[in-house]
Amino acid sequence: MKRSGIINREIARIAAEMGHMDRITVCDCGFPIPDGAKVVDLSIIKGFPRLIDVLKALREELIIEKIILAKEIVDKNPEMHNAILKLFSDAAVDYVEHSEFKKIAAVSSKAYIRTGEATPYSNVILSSGVDF
Amino acid sequence: MKRSGIINREIARIAAEMGHMDRITVCDCGFPIPDGAKVVDLSIIKGFPRLIDVLKALREELIIEKIILAKEIVDKNPEMHNAILKLFSDAAVDYVEHSEFKKIAAVSSKAYIRTGEATPYSNVILSSGVDF
Amino acid sequence: MKRSGIINREIARIAAEMGHMDRITVCDCGFPIPDGAKVVDLSIIKGFPRLIDVLKALREELIIEKIILAKEIVDKNPEMHNAILKLFSDAAVDYVEHSEFKKIAAVSSKAYIRTGEATPYSNVILSSGVDF
Amino acid sequence: MKRSGIINREIARIAAEMGHMDRITVCDCGFPIPDGAKVVDLSIIKGFPRLIDVLKALREELIIEKIILAKEIVDKNPEMHNAILKLFSDAAVDYVEHSEFKKIAAVSSKAYIRTGEATPYSNVILSSGVDF
Amino acid sequence: MKRSGIINREIARIAAEMGHMDRITVCDCGFPIPDGAKVVDLSIIKGFPRLIDVLKALREELIIEKIILAKEIVDKNPEMHNAILKLFSDAAVDYVEHSEFKKIAAVSSKAYIRTGEATPYSNVILSSGVDF
Amino acid sequence: MKRSGIINREIARIAAEMGHMDRITVCDCGFPIPDGAKVVDLSIIKGFPRLIDVLKALREELIIEKIILAKEIVDKNPEMHNAILKLFSDAAVDYVEHSEFKKIAAVSSKAYIRTGEATPYSNVILSSGVDF
Amino acid sequence: MKRSGIINREIARIAAEMGHMDRITVCDCGFPIPDGAKVVDLSIIKGFPRLIDVLKALREELIIEKIILAKEIVDKNPEMHNAILKLFSDAAVDYVEHSEFKKIAAVSSKAYIRTGEATPYSNVILSSGVDF
Amino acid sequence: MKRSGIINREIARIAAEMGHMDRITVCDCGFPIPDGAKVVDLSIIKGFPRLIDVLKALREELIIEKIILAKEIVDKNPEMHNAILKLFSDAAVDYVEHSEFKKIAAVSSKAYIRTGEATPYSNVILSSGVDF
Amino acid sequence: MKRSGIINREIARIAAEMGHMDRITVCDCGFPIPDGAKVVDLSIIKGFPRLIDVLKALREELIIEKIILAKEIVDKNPEMHNAILKLFSDAAVDYVEHSEFKKIAAVSSKAYIRTGEATPYSNVILSSGVDF
Amino acid sequence: MKRSGIINREIARIAAEMGHMDRITVCDCGFPIPDGAKVVDLSIIKGFPRLIDVLKALREELIIEKIILAKEIVDKNPEMHNAILKLFSDAAVDYVEHSEFKKIAAVSSKAYIRTGEATPYSNVILSSGVDF
């Protein structure tokens, strides 16, 4: 077995593939994922597993230099908003309209990681950094 | 979106395919899954998501008439053992050696659902019932 | 076996994949489905199974916030038209030309569910809602 | 469109492939279909579509010289038993144990056609005849 | 075996898929079929089987509301031209340049059925009708 | 285009692959072809194209040193029997029971070429020769 | 075995697929073949097999009405140029810039046949004719 | 990018899949890997990369409870033998004949990791442990 | 381009995969290659390219420690026999019955390289050596 | 085994496919490789194997007439820059912006060879030459 870190086989591979500025989208269970996209569906039932628990695991595995959020999260889901900011305190943050967020995700995500999160606008694009 | 129940796309399909006496194996993250088997990897990191949370969701979705456990769970992981029995109180229970458990799973599982559980012998074969 | 709900393996998966504003097209057996589209062919012979029976099952499974119909159904197939409206009384309804309906379906359907219905313009696009 | 007969694309192909003594299994929604078998899943919800409606369509399409039933149907589901016999009155009938039925189906079915039937032992193997 | 009609497995499926205004191209053995197109190659040697024999079988199976021919057939292959018109006497007929014919076929054929016909311009696009 | 000979793309390839003692089975439309076998389906409707026309084309393309027939053809289909013998007058002929014929075909055919022939026992295994 | 002609399985199939004005490119071993193109790689080492030997075999198999050459062959490889013209004396000849040749080949070749030829500009596009 | 550990995408996935007692074979460039086996070919030229460098990286990633070596390494490649033992000082070691080693690898390796090592018998089977 | 050696893409890969005692079969154009085997078809027409030219190229690329020939070559094709022995003068030679040769090839060839050779028993199994 | 040169099976094939002006990109482990690109991942951990060792092996195998570097390497990684220039002293060198480099690589690389290099801008596009 792996000693530590992410043990999901699909995510382990995606993480190893990530190059500088490559992106993945981690989303709630209501997010409309385009057909044909690479999807790692971790969702079990609405509300489980939570977005924040998946993000914690990803932060341990990946160098993240920037995150992108939908503006609407600020008012519609402040609790989630703050939790995400706290988790990625050392990363830049871009805010875009949810409609724009979907477009960016569609053109630039190497993969979508779908969680069971069932609270509004609980979607984040993680943009990879590099340590050299 | 689905109104309720299991929202994981792979498990939703597997559940719909299940016929009488068909089986799936729900296992901890250390379980040696045979190459070529159908695997739904819900694991994220060691310990998350827990086996019992996944079993709860499956029990709501599927008619389970029998479960199979490794004997060793009784002494090596009593807490998990009791939690599983409590969850499937209306199902028959078979106990077999862990080595035998692996063989039964290998020949009769339509799929393996891998959780993040990281406690000993936390593996269960669910055998489907029928309501007619 | 599944306790209840849709037991068709393909539709069960599609339903679990549906995100907010994702769409599926449920059509009669004469509808020209584009090559390469995801098709669940439930049709057996002309007239069986009926569109309305399939729609009933889907309504139990999915949150539908909007439906799209071809205008021509109003005059050419009033009986079907009323049955559909009654079934989705809590959803918004858009009417478009049949030629336009085919284009919308082609660009936005995650899948086509083909029934045996053999009455004019018996096609409906279901647009998914979200309950958070 | 096809002028008449079976319009399901998968069944139309299977019917065209059938040679003398080739077999298909038409089953209820609880039947355990082996992994890897060719399946045409017509089921929508438990009870719909009914086995007898599917069998009627198949009888119009195919020359059937023999059918195989599980013995248990005689007592456990007499109504279905009589309906099937009536439908295939010009075919030979073999009765075998349900356990044996599953084995025969597994080794000799070109395909399984799954219906929504939800009454006991509502499964029949159709063995193709030839008209020269 | 099938009681009657088309027994070619590929064509049987294509016929069952055809919706209103869907098209197939039935062509001679010299027709340049685009790479990637769905092809049912019935040709054996130049001249066998003949186009007209294949068209007869298709006319029994499918509702055809319109056919498209290359203009050049009128003068370069009058015998074939008349035979085709006679066969589809109840269908509309469009005439286009052979170069245009190839483009129409390429963008709108669900499949090409290649015969052994070896006489000039012996190609016809069949456009499906609907009987409701 | 090819100057002459077999123009069917599948058969052209199979013929080019044939080595010494390799076999293909050319059969009538009622022959039960095993699942998974390589099939070139030339059949259109029952009776067309005829077995003998396909065999003529194959004899021009391939060196055939031996043919295998089902014994039953001698009495049940003498006309076909004589036509085949005449066509392959320079090849050895083996006669086996039809049940045995099916087994030999299943284990040793590189491909099945299905014709529209609809007369009894109109099946022949062609065994390739070599001219060095 | 085949009695005569091309015995390469891939080329045999390609030849049988060729329709009027369909094209294949036969090239030297340094020719940059686009990714994704259909390639029959006959090359063994630089210089073997020669282009002219492959072309001779193709000329026996296919009706060629036109060939396309790179202009540069006239001066840079006159010996090859003359040998090709002699071989296809009854075909039209187009000359284009090598850069243009690569574009034409890329958009219109059903396949590339790569030889071991290692002399400059030894590439030819063969355009198929029809004998009816 | 990944913060640390194995960044090879294939090995990252294999490591995440490993369950208790699952095995991988890390071998020199002359090792006969069975057809169809999962292979991660890290070799570049004979001698590079070295086996020991690859093993070091794997030891950081995976819990290894046992290794298997070919007996012949003890005499034929003592330097490598000692280096391997030193690296996996906390794992059990089995010694088998090289011929037996190949059989064990063939039946039990989830994957072969091929290095550039070009010294005799430089092959090791790593058997995964579990930390619960 | 490659500076030297084998430039055939398929053979280049197979050569790089070869481990100690791995085998490939280089055969004449009449050799019956089992279905499903990996085949590199270099044949163009009967007699071209010759076996010996292909073997020369392979000998430059690969370390061959043993070859296997059919006994019958000694008397039936002495010229070829001598040419092969001369080419692999530093390799061991095994002679087996042609029927046995075919079995050995079938179970142990990583690939078959088919040449145009059209002289009797011109088939050789090359068994790879190792230089450490 | 291969006598010498590149023994990686994927790179051996790519090298054999290379035609004049075909390109491959050899990059560090942080380079963002587009989804769907052909990737040979030689990376093991950050820093191993080094870019220069992989380039040495490639230079022995391939005729390289030009290389492309990101301008930024000159100042940000002079040591690597000089090492690369020294290695390809007989090839032309183009310098482009790193952002432009990524575009060129994306549209023109037959494959990406990913190394473990973890120093800035250690990426080079190799453009193939021809020796006739």
Side-chain angles (χ1 to χ4, degrees):
Chain A
M1 270 201 75
K2 274 188 78 173
R3 290 183 186 282
S4 65
I6 296 241
I7 55 171
N8 181 286
R9 65 205 57 205
E10 312 257 1
I11 301 175
R13 179 182 174 116
I14 292 162
E17 289 181 355
M18 297 282 276
H20 188 203
M21 300 166 71
D22 274 338
R23 292 170 170 177
I24 53 174
T25 300
V26 190
C27 61
D28 63 46
C29 61
F31 191 84
I33 299 171
D35 292 335
K38 168 80 179 160
V39 180
V40 182
D41 193 349
L42 298 177
S43 71
I44 297 165
I45 53 172
K46 283 184 196 176
F48 185 73
R50 300 183 315 150
L51 178 76
I52 212 69
D53 296 324
V54 175
L55 289 176
K56 276 180 195 155
L58 288 167
R59 191 197 54 179
E60 294 309 307
E61 199 80 5
L62 289 168
I63 303 166
I64 302 300
E65 67 179 19
K66 184 171 86 171
I67 66 170
I68 303 173
L69 297 170
K71 280 182 186 163
E72 296 86 340
I73 196 171
V74 177
D75 305 329
K76 299 276 175 57
N77 199 346
E79 198 192 320
M80 178 63 73
H81 180 219
N82 297 331
I84 293 173
L85 293 189
K86 199 172 145 214
L87 201 58
F88 295 98
S89 52
D90 55 359
V93 186
D94 278 8
Y95 292 93
V96 295
E97 298 287 341
H98 182 55
S99 55
E100 185 56 22
F101 180 97
K102 285 191 281 187
K103 285 182 200 146
I104 295 171
V107 299
S108 68
S109 305
K110 284 186 88 71
Y112 290 80
I113 298 178
R114 185 196 194 203
T115 72
E117 189 67 38
T119 62
Y121 301 104
S122 299
N123 313 298
V124 56
I125 296 172
L126 305 180
S127 183
S128 164
V130 156
D131 54 3
F132 59 87
Chain B
M1 271 201 75
K2 272 188 79 173
R3 291 185 186 280
S4 65
I6 295 240
I7 55 170
N8 181 287
R9 63 204 59 203
E10 311 259 359
I11 301 177
R13 180 182 174 115
I14 292 163
E17 288 182 355
M18 297 281 277
H20 188 202
M21 299 165 75
D22 274 338
R23 292 171 171 177
I24 53 174
T25 301
V26 190
C27 60
D28 64 46
C29 61
F31 191 84
I33 297 171
D35 292 335
K38 167 81 178 162
V39 180
V40 182
D41 192 351
L42 298 176
S43 71
I44 298 164
I45 54 172
K46 284 186 196 175
F48 185 72
R50 300 184 316 152
L51 177 76
I52 212 70
D53 296 325
V54 175
L55 288 177
K56 276 181 195 156
L58 288 167
R59 191 197 56 178
E60 294 310 305
E61 199 82 5
L62 289 168
I63 303 166
I64 303 299
E65 64 179 21
K66 184 171 85 168
I67 67 171
I68 303 173
L69 297 171
K71 281 182 183 161
E72 293 85 341
I73 196 172
V74 178
D75 306 328
K76 299 279 174 57
N77 200 345
E79 197 192 320
M80 178 63 73
H81 179 218
N82 297 331
I84 293 173
L85 291 189
K86 199 172 143 211
L87 200 58
F88 295 99
S89 51
D90 54 359
V93 186
D94 278 9
Y95 293 93
V96 295
E97 297 289 341
H98 183 55
S99 54
E100 184 56 23
F101 179 97
K102 287 190 283 186
K103 284 181 200 147
I104 295 171
V107 301
S108 69
S109 304
K110 283 185 90 71
Y112 290 81
I113 298 179
R114 185 196 195 205
T115 72
E117 189 67 38
T119 62
Y121 302 104
S122 299
N123 312 299
V124 55
I125 297 172
L126 305 179
S127 184
S128 164
V130 156
D131 55 3
F132 58 89
Chain C
M1 271 201 75
K2 272 189 78 174
R3 291 184 186 279
S4 65
I6 296 241
I7 54 172
N8 182 287
R9 63 205 60 206
E10 312 258 0
I11 301 175
R13 180 183 173 116
I14 292 162
E17 289 181 356
M18 297 281 277
H20 187 203
M21 299 167 72
D22 275 336
R23 292 172 169 175
I24 54 174
T25 300
V26 190
C27 60
D28 63 46
C29 61
F31 192 85
I33 299 171
D35 291 336
K38 167 83 178 160
V39 179
V40 182
D41 192 349
L42 298 176
S43 71
I44 298 164
I45 54 172
K46 285 185 195 175
F48 185 73
R50 300 185 316 153
L51 177 76
I52 211 69
D53 297 323
V54 175
L55 289 177
K56 276 179 193 155
L58 288 167
R59 190 196 56 177
E60 294 310 307
E61 199 82 4
L62 288 169
I63 304 165
I64 302 299
E65 66 179 20
K66 185 171 84 170
I67 67 171
I68 303 173
L69 297 170
K71 278 182 185 161
E72 294 85 342
I73 196 171
V74 177
D75 306 328
K76 299 277 175 55
N77 199 344
E79 197 191 321
M80 179 62 74
H81 180 218
N82 297 332
I84 294 172
L85 293 189
K86 198 172 147 216
L87 201 59
F88 295 98
S89 52
D90 55 359
V93 186
D94 278 9
Y95 293 94
V96 295
E97 296 288 340
H98 182 56
S99 55
E100 185 57 22
F101 180 97
K102 286 191 281 188
K103 285 180 200 147
I104 295 171
V107 300
S108 69
S109 305
K110 284 186 87 74
Y112 290 80
I113 298 178
R114 185 195 193 204
T115 72
E117 189 67 37
T119 61
Y121 302 104
S122 299
N123 313 298
V124 55
I125 296 172
L126 305 180
S127 184
S128 164
V130 155
D131 55 3
F132 60 88
Chain D
M1 272 201 73
K2 273 187 79 174
R3 290 183 186 280
S4 64
I6 295 242
I7 54 171
N8 181 286
R9 64 205 59 206
E10 312 258 359
I11 301 176
R13 180 182 172 116
I14 292 164
E17 289 182 355
M18 297 281 277
H20 188 203
M21 299 166 74
D22 275 338
R23 291 171 171 178
I24 54 175
T25 301
V26 190
C27 61
D28 64 46
C29 62
F31 191 85
I33 298 171
D35 292 336
K38 167 82 178 160
V39 180
V40 182
D41 192 350
L42 298 176
S43 72
I44 299 164
I45 54 172
K46 283 185 197 175
F48 185 73
R50 300 185 314 152
L51 179 76
I52 212 69
D53 296 325
V54 175
L55 288 177
K56 275 179 194 156
L58 288 167
R59 190 196 56 177
E60 295 309 307
E61 198 82 6
L62 289 169
I63 303 165
I64 303 298
E65 64 179 21
K66 185 171 86 169
I67 67 171
I68 303 172
L69 297 171
K71 280 181 184 163
E72 293 85 342
I73 197 172
V74 177
D75 305 328
K76 300 278 174 57
N77 199 345
E79 198 192 320
M80 179 63 73
H81 179 218
N82 297 330
I84 293 173
L85 293 189
K86 198 170 144 217
L87 201 59
F88 296 99
S89 51
D90 54 359
V93 186
D94 278 7
Y95 293 93
V96 295
E97 297 289 341
H98 183 55
S99 54
E100 186 55 22
F101 180 97
K102 287 190 282 186
K103 285 179 200 149
I104 295 171
V107 300
S108 69
S109 306
K110 285 187 88 72
Y112 290 80
I113 298 179
R114 186 196 193 203
T115 72
E117 189 67 37
T119 62
Y121 302 104
S122 298
N123 313 298
V124 56
I125 297 172
L126 305 179
S127 184
S128 165
V130 156
D131 54 3
F132 58 88
Chain E
M1 272 201 73
K2 273 190 78 174
R3 290 185 186 279
S4 65
I6 296 241
I7 54 171
N8 182 286
R9 62 205 61 204
E10 312 258 1
I11 301 176
R13 180 183 173 116
I14 292 163
E17 290 180 355
M18 297 281 278
H20 188 205
M21 298 165 74
D22 274 338
R23 292 171 169 177
I24 54 174
T25 300
V26 190
C27 60
D28 63 47
C29 62
F31 192 85
I33 298 170
D35 291 336
K38 167 83 178 159
V39 180
V40 182
D41 192 350
L42 298 177
S43 71
I44 299 165
I45 54 172
K46 285 186 197 175
F48 185 74
R50 301 185 314 152
L51 178 76
I52 211 69
D53 295 323
V54 174
L55 289 177
K56 275 178 194 158
L58 289 167
R59 191 197 56 178
E60 294 310 308
E61 199 81 4
L62 289 168
I63 303 165
I64 302 298
E65 66 179 20
K66 185 172 85 170
I67 67 171
I68 303 173
L69 297 170
K71 279 181 185 164
E72 293 84 343
I73 197 173
V74 177
D75 305 329
K76 298 278 173 57
N77 199 345
E79 199 193 319
M80 179 61 73
H81 180 219
N82 297 330
I84 293 173
L85 293 189
K86 199 172 145 215
L87 201 58
F88 296 98
S89 51
D90 55 358
V93 186
D94 279 8
Y95 294 93
V96 295
E97 297 287 340
H98 182 56
S99 54
E100 184 58 21
F101 180 97
K102 287 191 280 187
K103 285 179 199 149
I104 295 171
V107 299
S108 69
S109 305
K110 284 188 87 74
Y112 289 81
I113 298 178
R114 185 196 193 203
T115 72
E117 189 68 38
T119 61
Y121 302 105
S122 299
N123 313 299
V124 56
I125 296 172
L126 306 179
S127 184
S128 164
V130 156
D131 55 2
F132 59 87
Chain F
M1 270 199 75
K2 272 188 78 175
R3 291 185 186 279
S4 64
I6 295 241
I7 55 171
N8 182 286
R9 63 205 60 204
E10 312 258 0
I11 301 175
R13 181 183 172 115
I14 292 163
E17 289 181 355
M18 297 281 276
H20 188 203
M21 298 166 76
D22 275 337
R23 290 171 171 177
I24 54 174
T25 301
V26 189
C27 61
D28 63 45
C29 62
F31 192 84
I33 298 171
D35 292 337
K38 167 83 178 161
V39 180
V40 182
D41 192 350
L42 299 176
S43 71
I44 298 164
I45 54 171
K46 284 186 196 175
F48 185 74
R50 301 184 315 151
L51 178 75
I52 211 70
D53 296 324
V54 175
L55 289 177
K56 277 179 192 157
L58 289 167
R59 192 196 55 178
E60 295 310 306
E61 199 82 5
L62 290 169
I63 303 165
I64 302 299
E65 65 179 20
K66 186 172 85 168
I67 67 171
I68 303 173
L69 297 171
K71 278 181 185 163
E72 295 84 342
I73 196 172
V74 178
D75 305 327
K76 299 277 173 56
N77 200 345
E79 199 192 320
M80 178 63 73
H81 180 218
N82 296 332
I84 293 174
L85 293 191
K86 200 173 143 211
L87 201 59
F88 296 99
S89 51
D90 55 359
V93 185
D94 279 7
Y95 293 93
V96 296
E97 298 288 339
H98 183 55
S99 54
E100 185 57 21
F101 181 97
K102 286 190 280 186
K103 286 179 197 148
I104 296 171
V107 300
S108 68
S109 306
K110 284 186 88 73
Y112 290 81
I113 298 178
R114 186 196 193 204
T115 72
E117 188 68 37
T119 62
Y121 302 105
S122 299
N123 313 298
V124 55
I125 297 172
L126 306 179
S127 184
S128 164
V130 154
D131 55 3
F132 58 88
Chain G
M1 272 201 73
K2 272 188 79 174
R3 290 184 185 280
S4 65
I6 296 240
I7 54 171
N8 181 286
R9 64 205 58 205
E10 312 258 0
I11 302 176
R13 180 182 174 116
I14 292 163
E17 289 181 356
M18 297 281 277
H20 188 204
M21 299 165 73
D22 274 339
R23 292 171 170 177
I24 53 174
T25 300
V26 189
C27 62
D28 63 47
C29 62
F31 191 85
I33 298 170
D35 291 337
K38 168 82 178 161
V39 180
V40 182
D41 192 350
L42 298 176
S43 71
I44 298 164
I45 54 172
K46 284 185 197 175
F48 185 74
R50 301 184 315 152
L51 178 76
I52 212 69
D53 295 325
V54 175
L55 288 176
K56 275 180 193 155
L58 288 167
R59 190 197 56 179
E60 295 309 308
E61 198 82 3
L62 289 168
I63 304 165
I64 302 299
E65 65 179 21
K66 185 171 83 169
I67 66 170
I68 303 173
L69 297 170
K71 281 181 184 162
E72 294 85 342
I73 197 172
V74 178
D75 306 328
K76 300 277 172 58
N77 199 345
E79 198 193 319
M80 178 62 74
H81 179 218
N82 297 331
I84 293 174
L85 293 189
K86 199 173 145 213
L87 200 59
F88 296 100
S89 51
D90 55 359
V93 186
D94 279 8
Y95 293 93
V96 295
E97 297 288 340
H98 182 54
S99 54
E100 185 57 22
F101 180 96
K102 286 191 282 187
K103 284 180 200 147
I104 294 171
V107 300
S108 69
S109 305
K110 285 186 88 74
Y112 289 82
I113 298 178
R114 184 196 194 203
T115 71
E117 189 68 36
T119 62
Y121 301 104
S122 299
N123 313 298
V124 56
I125 296 172
L126 306 178
S127 184
S128 164
V130 156
D131 55 2
F132 59 87
Chain H
M1 271 200 75
K2 273 188 78 173
R3 291 183 186 280
S4 65
I6 296 241
I7 54 171
N8 181 287
R9 65 205 57 206
E10 310 257 1
I11 301 176
R13 178 180 174 117
I14 292 162
E17 289 182 355
M18 297 281 275
H20 188 203
M21 299 166 74
D22 273 338
R23 291 171 171 176
I24 54 174
T25 301
V26 189
C27 61
D28 63 46
C29 60
F31 191 85
I33 298 171
D35 292 337
K38 167 82 178 161
V39 180
V40 182
D41 192 350
L42 298 178
S43 72
I44 298 164
I45 54 172
K46 285 185 196 176
F48 185 72
R50 300 184 315 150
L51 178 77
I52 211 70
D53 296 324
V54 175
L55 288 176
K56 276 178 194 157
L58 287 167
R59 191 197 54 179
E60 296 309 308
E61 198 83 4
L62 289 169
I63 304 165
I64 302 299
E65 65 179 20
K66 185 171 85 169
I67 66 170
I68 303 172
L69 297 171
K71 280 182 184 161
E72 295 86 341
I73 196 172
V74 178
D75 306 328
K76 299 276 174 56
N77 199 346
E79 198 193 318
M80 178 63 73
H81 179 218
N82 297 331
I84 294 173
L85 292 189
K86 199 170 144 216
L87 201 58
F88 295 99
S89 52
D90 55 358
V93 186
D94 278 7
Y95 293 93
V96 295
E97 297 288 341
H98 183 55
S99 54
E100 185 54 24
F101 180 97
K102 286 190 281 187
K103 285 181 198 148
I104 295 170
V107 299
S108 68
S109 305
K110 282 185 89 71
Y112 289 79
I113 298 179
R114 185 196 194 204
T115 72
E117 189 68 38
T119 62
Y121 301 105
S122 300
N123 314 298
V124 55
I125 296 171
L126 305 179
S127 184
S128 164
V130 156
D131 55 2
F132 59 86
Chain I
M1 272 201 75
K2 273 188 77 173
R3 290 184 186 280
S4 65
I6 295 239
I7 55 171
N8 181 287
R9 64 205 58 204
E10 311 258 0
I11 301 175
R13 179 181 174 117
I14 292 163
E17 289 181 355
M18 297 281 276
H20 188 203
M21 298 167 74
D22 275 338
R23 291 171 171 177
I24 53 173
T25 301
V26 189
C27 61
D28 64 45
C29 61
F31 192 84
I33 297 170
D35 292 336
K38 168 81 179 162
V39 180
V40 181
D41 192 350
L42 298 176
S43 71
I44 298 164
I45 53 173
K46 284 185 195 175
F48 186 74
R50 300 183 317 150
L51 178 77
I52 212 71
D53 297 323
V54 175
L55 289 177
K56 276 179 193 155
L58 288 167
R59 191 197 54 178
E60 295 309 307
E61 198 82 4
L62 290 168
I63 304 166
I64 302 301
E65 65 179 22
K66 186 171 84 170
I67 66 171
I68 303 173
L69 297 170
K71 279 182 187 162
E72 294 85 342
I73 196 171
V74 178
D75 306 328
K76 298 279 175 55
N77 199 346
E79 198 191 321
M80 179 62 74
H81 180 218
N82 297 331
I84 292 174
L85 292 190
K86 199 171 144 214
L87 201 58
F88 296 98
S89 51
D90 55 359
V93 185
D94 278 8
Y95 292 94
V96 296
E97 297 288 339
H98 182 55
S99 55
E100 185 56 22
F101 180 97
K102 287 190 281 186
K103 285 180 199 146
I104 295 170
V107 300
S108 68
S109 305
K110 284 186 88 72
Y112 289 81
I113 297 178
R114 186 196 193 204
T115 73
E117 189 69 36
T119 62
Y121 302 103
S122 299
N123 313 298
V124 55
I125 296 172
L126 306 179
S127 184
S128 165
V130 155
D131 55 2
F132 60 86
Chain J
M1 271 200 74
K2 273 188 78 173
R3 291 183 185 280
S4 66
I6 295 241
I7 54 171
N8 181 288
R9 64 205 57 205
E10 312 258 0
I11 301 175
R13 179 181 174 117
I14 292 163
E17 289 182 355
M18 296 282 277
H20 188 204
M21 301 166 72
D22 274 338
R23 293 171 170 177
I24 53 173
T25 300
V26 190
C27 61
D28 63 47
C29 61
F31 191 85
I33 298 170
D35 291 336
K38 168 81 178 161
V39 181
V40 182
D41 192 350
L42 299 177
S43 71
I44 298 163
I45 54 172
K46 284 185 196 175
F48 185 73
R50 300 184 316 153
L51 178 76
I52 211 71
D53 296 324
V54 175
L55 289 176
K56 275 181 196 154
L58 288 167
R59 191 197 55 177
E60 295 309 307
E61 198 81 5
L62 289 168
I63 304 165
I64 303 298
E65 66 180 20
K66 184 171 84 169
I67 66 170
I68 303 172
L69 297 171
K71 280 182 184 161
E72 295 85 341
I73 196 172
V74 177
D75 306 328
K76 300 278 176 54
N77 200 345
E79 198 192 319
M80 178 62 74
H81 180 218
N82 297 331
I84 293 172
L85 292 188
K86 199 172 144 215
L87 200 59
F88 295 99
S89 51
D90 55 359
V93 186
D94 278 8
Y95 293 93
V96 295
E97 298 288 340
H98 182 55
S99 54
E100 184 57 22
F101 180 98
K102 286 192 282 187
K103 284 181 200 146
I104 295 171
V107 299
S108 68
S109 305
K110 283 187 89 71
Y112 290 79
I113 298 178
R114 185 196 195 203
T115 72
E117 189 67 37
T119 62
Y121 301 104
S122 299
N123 313 298
V124 56
I125 297 172
L126 305 179
S127 183
S128 164
V130 156
D131 54 4
F132 60 85

